[in-house]
Amino acid sequence: MAINWFPGHMHKARKEIAEVMAHMDVVIEVLDARIPYSSENPMIPALRGDKPCIKLLNKADLADPAMTERWVAHLEQEQGVTALPVTHHKPESIRRLLVQIQDILADRNLSARNTQAMIMGIPNVGKSTLINILAGRKIAKTGNEAGVTKAQQRIKLDNRVVLTDTPGFLWPKLNPPSCGYRLAATGAIKEKIFDYPEVALFTVAYLGQQYPEALKARYRLTALPDDDLELLEDIGRARGTVRKGGQVDLEKVSALLISELRDGVLGPITLETPEMTEREEAEAREADERARIEKEEKAKLRRQRARKNRR
C-alpha cells in the first residue's frame, strides 16, 4: 500500500514559501542523511529557481559515513548545489553554514543589506534544532514528531544573515512508493498514517541485505532467514515480543525495530543508495506511463461504447 501525507497546512506552507522566495539570496534544504533522496522535496527546485542551494545532510551521526560521502558527491552534481553533512552532536558542523553562505554569495554585493536565507525541509528532519544552534538560543520549537513548526518566522543570525524558517512539508504523491516507507521508518510521517508491520517488513528486507551483521549483533542472531516475515519474527522472539502460545506480536516487534532504527541502536545506517534511487525512479516513471496508457485506453473504450449507444 502506498503511503501519502499532504494535509492542508502543507499546501498552505508551499504557497507561502512561493510568495517570499523572490526576496531570498540562498536556500537551505535540510535532508535526513539516512535517506537523502527520499527526504529531498521534489517541489523545491521549482520554488527556488536558480538560487544557490545548500543541502544539509542532518543526523549524519545516524547514517553510514561512507554512504554519506557518496551522497554528498551525488547531490553536488546538480548545478548550484553544495552539500554538507551535519549533526547536532557536533554544533561546529552546523555553524560552518554561516561561513558557507558568505562564500557562496561572495560575488554579490550584499554589504549594504543583510543576507536573506530560507531554510526548508520535510517534517521531523531536525530543522528547528539546527536553527537553535545557529541562533545560539532556543528560538524554534522542537519535538520528536512530524509537523511541529506551523508558520514562517524570521531569525537574525550572525554574519548579518536573516533566516526565514518555514514549516516542514512533503509533496502530494510520494513517488516512488518506496520513498513513503523510508520516510515513515525515519519518522517524517505521522504514525496514524501508516501500518507499522508493513513499514517494518520493508525495512527489515533492506537491512537483511545491506546490514546483516548489524541485525545479527543487535538481536543475537546466528543467521538470517531469507523470508522477511520470518526474520521479523526471529527479532521478535529475540526481544521477547511474544504472546501467550508463542506467537510473535508483529505490532510490538515492528514498533521496536523502527524505534531502534530511529535511535541509532542498530548502528550507523543509510536506507538508500544513489544507484538504488535512480533505478526506483526509472521504474516509477515506467509504471506511471503504463498507468497513463491504460487510463487512455479505458477512456477510449468508454467513448466508443457511448457512440454505439447513441446510434
Side-chain angles (χ1 to χ4, degrees), residues 126-142:
K127 182 163 55 69
S128 295
T129 300
L130 299 184
I131 291 170
N132 290 338
I133 291 172
L134 289 170
R137 63 194 187 281
K138 188 171 183 179
I139 196 166
K141 184 179 178 182
T142 61

Side-chain angles (χ1 to χ4, degrees), residues 10 34 52 65 83 118 122 161 185:
M10 291 189 185
R34 298 166 296 179
M118 176 179 283
I122 64 169
V161 174

Side-chain angles (χ1 to χ4, degrees), residues 14 31 36 45 47 49 125 241 255 270 285 300:
R14 186 199 64 77
L31 309 179
L47 287 168
V125 77
T241 60
T270 300
R285 284 195 299 268
K300 183 179 178 181

Side-chain angles (χ1 to χ4, degrees), residues 91-109:
E92 66 278 7
S93 70
I94 297 167
R95 295 191 187 102
R96 279 189 309 163
L97 175 64
L98 296 175
V99 176
Q100 191 73 38
I101 290 173
Q102 299 302 327
D103 290 345
I104 288 174
L105 302 176
D107 61 339
R108 303 192 186 188
N109 184 17

